[in-house]
Amino acid sequence: MRSSKRLLRLTKEIEGSKVLKQLPKDPRLFRYGFVALERGVLRRRQRDALRERGWSKRQIVQISLWSHPEALVQIIDVGWAEFVLLGDVYGVGHADVEERINAVPEGNDAALFALLDELGGRFALLVVETNRARVFHDPVGSQSIFYHDRSPFAVSSHSMLLSAVLQSERTEEVSTYFWAWSLPADITAFRHIYALFPNDLKASPAGSGGTGSGICACGSARVPLMFFHGQPLEA
């Protein structure tokens, strides 16, 4: 009972916070979480607030990745891109994950999607190239991913963390669903922040230097394609 009261009080404190500095310094806050966004977006006070909470930063080409002290992070440099695995991931059928990632050739999306069929677990995969960044779900979307649908490119494991980083305002759109236990589809409580559907990807447009807000899969703008075992499903 005492633990439940503490969690309830923590939740109320979070809901009343608009910026990172105001968030409580509790290790359970955004546990195992991450936020990845374009370099230079975070201000000094925001960076200090994350460090005060034990979060660590990794610079991956143009993307700054911040992760919770308990988050599992594995970075594999294949030359043409850096593959960042966030969470628990394993190779299906005892496949070697690092070996399979290194076998993905540059510019071959078919091979990349085939790789996703061979990975299991609860994770997010961030693929960062010189001129773009893409983030993928695990096969069933058990790792939550939220994205910013405007510039700058930004994704996170928690919508509230992303809103605190970007200082996004709450949206009135959710008031319609106050009676429901959860919000429908990809809606969140914050303006310009949405949940990424399973089997979709969030990408910054190629050639943009990593910036941009297009949500795309396999080159389709604004309309993500659904994939099952590497094949697009018919609409």
Side-chain angles (χ1 to χ4, degrees):
M1 180 65 71
R2 183 176 300 174
S3 177
S4 298
K5 288 182 178 179
R6 284 187 62 194
L7 286 173
L8 180 60
R9 185 170 63 252
L10 175 62
T11 301
K12 290 181 178 179
E13 289 179 20
I14 295 172
E15 290 177 346
S17 303
K18 292 184 178 180
V19 294
L20 283 174
K21 198 72 177 177
Q22 296 174 342
L23 293 174
K25 296 179 182 179
D26 191 302
R28 296 168 300 174
L29 184 60
F30 309 131
R31 195 177 184 188
Y32 306 116
F34 67 88
V35 59
L37 67 172
E38 291 177 39
R39 182 186 337 194
V41 172
L42 282 186
R43 297 178 181 178
R44 186 180 204 176
R45 289 183 179 180
Q46 293 175 309
R47 297 195 298 269
D48 290 344
L50 286 170
R51 290 192 180 100
E52 288 172 4
R53 289 154 179 79
W55 285 56
S56 58
K57 177 191 174 184
R58 297 170 176 85
Q59 192 63 46
I60 306 164
V61 195
Q62 77 276 20
I63 298 297
S64 298
L65 172 67
W66 291 84
S67 58
H68 185 274
E70 295 181 79
L72 299 176
V73 181
Q74 182 180 2
I75 301 175
I76 301 173
D77 189 345
V78 300
W80 60 271
E82 293 193 51
F83 284 64
V84 184
L85 295 164
L86 299 151
D88 294 301
V89 59
Y90 60 86
V92 176
H94 304 291
D96 185 278
V97 174
E98 186 168 354
E99 182 179 311
R100 285 294 297 112
I101 288 177
N102 275 290
V104 177
E106 182 177 3
N108 192 328
D109 282 341
L112 177 57
F113 294 131
L115 164 70
L116 295 175
D117 285 339
E118 298 184 33
L119 301 181
R122 181 178 184 271
F123 66 91
L125 170 62
L126 187 63
V127 181
V128 185
E129 301 173 61
T130 303
N131 63 344
R132 68 172 173 176
R134 291 181 284 178
V135 63
F136 301 83
H137 268 301
D138 59 69
V140 296
S142 56
Q143 170 61 62
S144 60
I145 299 176
F146 298 90
Y147 67 91
H148 184 225
D149 78 338
R150 297 287 189 275
S151 183
F153 175 86
V155 295
S156 178
S157 54
H158 298 76
S159 61
M160 192 171 292
L161 172 59
L162 195 55
S163 72
V165 165
L166 299 173
Q167 298 185 30
S168 299
E169 296 294 330
R170 287 184 175 271
T171 175
E172 297 298 322
E173 189 176 8
V174 300
S175 61
T176 309
Y177 307 101
F178 279 161
W179 56 269
W181 284 101
S182 60
L183 296 176
D186 58 350
I187 295 174
T188 73
F190 308 100
R191 194 176 302 278
H192 301 308
I193 294 177
Y194 294 91
L196 187 65
F197 288 125
N199 285 321
D200 285 11
L201 68 88
K202 172 74 175 80
S204 61
S208 66
T211 62
S213 59
I215 177 168
C216 51
C218 273
S220 65
R222 302 295 305 173
V223 184
L225 296 178
M226 301 299 291
F227 282 82
F228 181 72
H229 294 302
Q231 299 298 319
L233 298 179
E234 296 295 333

